[in-house]
Amino acid sequence: MRITRVWGAALLMLALAAAPAAADSSPSASPSENGDAPTEAGTSFRTAAEFEQGQTATASASTGDYLYWSFPADAGQRPTVKATVKLPEAAKSASTWQLDVYDGLRRRQACQYGAQTRTADAGAASVELSCTLRTVRAWAEPWSGDPLPGTYYVRLTTTRLATGDLGLPVGVEVRAESKDMGGAAAVDGSLAQPLVPGIAVTSKQDDEDSSTEAVLSSLEPDDGWASGWWSDRWVWTALGAVLAALAGIGGYCLTRGPGRPTRVPPPGA
């Protein structure tokens, strides 16, 4: 009976600890409104149109243009960027479209999977592209090239287009969403500041007590940037310690026996 109670308590604690971990692995919620999403794109990194994850940014452009957007991504997230290009009916030849994603240091990030480049045949109504990045790390070595917390830039353009189709009107929709990878992707350490435009200038001005505004990017996650030290790995570590203690108690109870044998007389008898 004692062993049953011990293992029952262990299973109960395991279920309680698994609940937050399951919640961390669910996709991030999308905003209920899309009213603040941009309706035009930038033409360079500096003029990239900002939008939040879960919003659908739209733009009207011409074939041959370079279109730029930006969105924030925090540590532990695995962003997926999707783009839909509505092609012109007047296009007379095939065209190849490419979706590139850059981090806050403007390093081009490789896609884990997704159709980053696609060719649309002549007469096609639309083409869809997607890119799922690696999990954003709270800290990494400079040489690793791993994605880090901060602003991410999306660039959409054509890499192959007939000269006669240049300048035709197209419609574009871009959306970014993330899956929270939880403690499985946690690393020791964190950045002093997220990689967003103007953060270095702003930090310097804060030290000098200046009131001049230097932030170029106003977007950040709804709950703020992660501190980098907390993750559900702490929960699983604590749970492992508790289970180890319970296993020790259970082993002791199994090997202890019922007590003094009945045939052995008490001391002094």
Side-chain angles (χ1 to χ4, degrees), residues 78-140:
R78 188 175 66 186
T80 297
V81 182
K82 297 181 179 180
T84 301
V85 183
K86 299 178 181 178
L87 301 173
E89 297 180 358
K92 299 178 181 179
S93 61
S95 58
T96 301
W97 293 80
Q98 182 167 313
L99 179 71
D100 295 314
V101 183
Y102 299 82
D103 66 3
L105 297 177
R106 299 185 185 179
R107 301 175 301 181
R108 183 176 179 273
Q109 292 295 319
C111 301
Q112 271 192 323
Y113 53 85
Q116 183 181 10
T117 302
R118 272 189 171 177
T119 298
D121 296 331
S126 63
V127 60
E128 296 183 356
L129 306 101
S130 66
C131 175
T132 299
L133 302 178
R134 294 170 295 170
T135 303
V136 178
R137 296 165 58 90
W139 175 88

Side-chain angles (χ1 to χ4, degrees), residues 200-212 214:
V201 178
T202 304
S203 300
K204 183 178 180 180
Q205 289 181 346
D206 290 342
D207 295 339
E208 297 174 354
D209 295 329
S210 174
S211 60
T212 304

Side-chain angles (χ1 to χ4, degrees), residues 26-34 36-38 49-57 69-82 101 131 133-134 136 148-154 174-180 219-225:
S26 60
S28 58
S30 300
S32 57
E33 296 182 359
N34 199 46
D36 295 335
E50 299 177 347
F51 69 99
E52 296 280 0
Q53 292 193 38
Q55 292 181 333
T56 300
W69 296 266
S70 65
F71 66 93
D74 206 358
Q77 294 182 339
R78 188 175 66 186
T80 297
V81 182
K82 297 181 179 180
V101 183
C131 175
L133 302 178
R134 294 170 295 170
V136 178
L148 295 169
T151 300
Y152 280 75
Y153 298 93
V154 181
V174 173
R175 185 178 182 89
E177 292 180 335
S178 289
K179 181 178 181 180
D180 195 337
L219 294 182
E220 66 177 29
D222 294 336
D223 53 354
W225 297 104

